[in-house]
Amino acid sequence: GDSLCTLDVEYQTFRTQVRNPLWQQQFLAQPLAQRRLLARQARTQSQAHLQKTTEAMMDVTPAAVLAALQTKSVYQLIQGHTHRPAVHLLTVNGQPAYRWVVGDWNEQGTVILSCMPSGSQLLKLSSNGSISHYSPLECKKDYCTLSLECKKDYCTVVTSC
């Protein structure tokens, strides 16, 4: 998913660098203590970068999402590691498509995607191990109450448990 955050040019440059096999080989050839120091420095720089980066810059761009779906000739994209779980409704080559956004893990739990032959759905996984529905596609009365708040190009699931 982070490859689709094309507005954050500084991050994309870093991402390209650290995924380069030659860079990785040179990094891993350094002593462990040196690698740990470099990792701490990179983390500090990353945190400073996040402080000055807008949410829009850190989010995917619609053009990058559509390009990825069209390039692979697929109609579903699963994106993770975000603070905004949702199901985004798209149109690709005249067909309905979905961008499933699952959540970060936190003390309360996370939102995960369950893919079954009968369909896909977002599930809320609590830190205590309980699972409840978090999906606009299916709702059973013994689970959470779901409603869908739709904007122009995406829908957010609102739950009441």
Side-chain angles (χ1 to χ4, degrees):
D2 62 349
S3 66
L4 304 175
C5 303
T6 57
L7 295 178
D8 192 348
V9 176
E10 188 176 326
Y11 173 74
Q12 292 300 328
T13 301
F14 168 77
R15 185 178 187 281
T16 299
Q17 175 189 346
V18 299
R19 284 172 171 72
N20 180 303
L22 181 59
W23 184 90
Q24 291 174 354
Q25 183 180 26
Q26 291 171 346
F27 178 79
L28 292 172
Q30 297 180 42
L32 181 58
Q34 180 67 20
R35 295 191 316 241
R36 286 184 172 157
L37 174 64
L38 291 170
R40 280 193 299 275
Q41 290 171 344
R43 185 68 181 142
T44 299
Q45 289 174 347
S46 173
Q47 290 170 340
H49 177 69
L50 288 175
Q51 296 301 315
K52 65 179 183 177
T53 305
T54 65
E55 268 194 39
M57 278 183 61
M58 290 187 292
D59 203 357
V60 301
T61 57
V65 171
L66 289 176
L69 291 167
Q70 289 171 334
T71 299
K72 300 295 183 183
S73 298
V74 296
Y75 296 93
Q76 295 196 51
L77 173 76
I78 303 169
Q79 177 193 348
H81 198 70
T82 179
H83 300 285
R84 296 182 307 270
V87 179
H88 297 262
L89 309 174
L90 311 163
T91 302
V92 176
N93 300 326
Q95 300 292 319
Y98 300 91
R99 177 168 65 102
W100 298 87
V101 183
V102 296
D104 274 346
W105 183 261
N106 59 41
E107 291 180 11
Q108 290 76 40
T110 191
V111 175
I112 60 173
L113 179 61
S114 170
C115 299
M116 305 292 280
S118 60
S120 299
Q121 59 186 326
L122 293 175
L123 299 174
K124 181 170 177 64
L125 176 62
S126 299
S127 57
N128 68 6
S130 67
I131 297 175
S132 56
H133 283 264
Y134 189 91
S135 172
L137 300 181
E138 178 182 330
C139 182
K140 297 182 177 162
K141 58 183 174 179
D142 56 338
Y143 292 102
C144 295
T145 302
L146 305 172
S147 63
L148 205 54
E149 289 183 1
C150 292
K151 298 210 163 80
K152 182 179 176 185
D153 60 348
Y154 71 95
C155 296
T156 301
V157 181
V158 179
T159 63
S160 172
C161 298

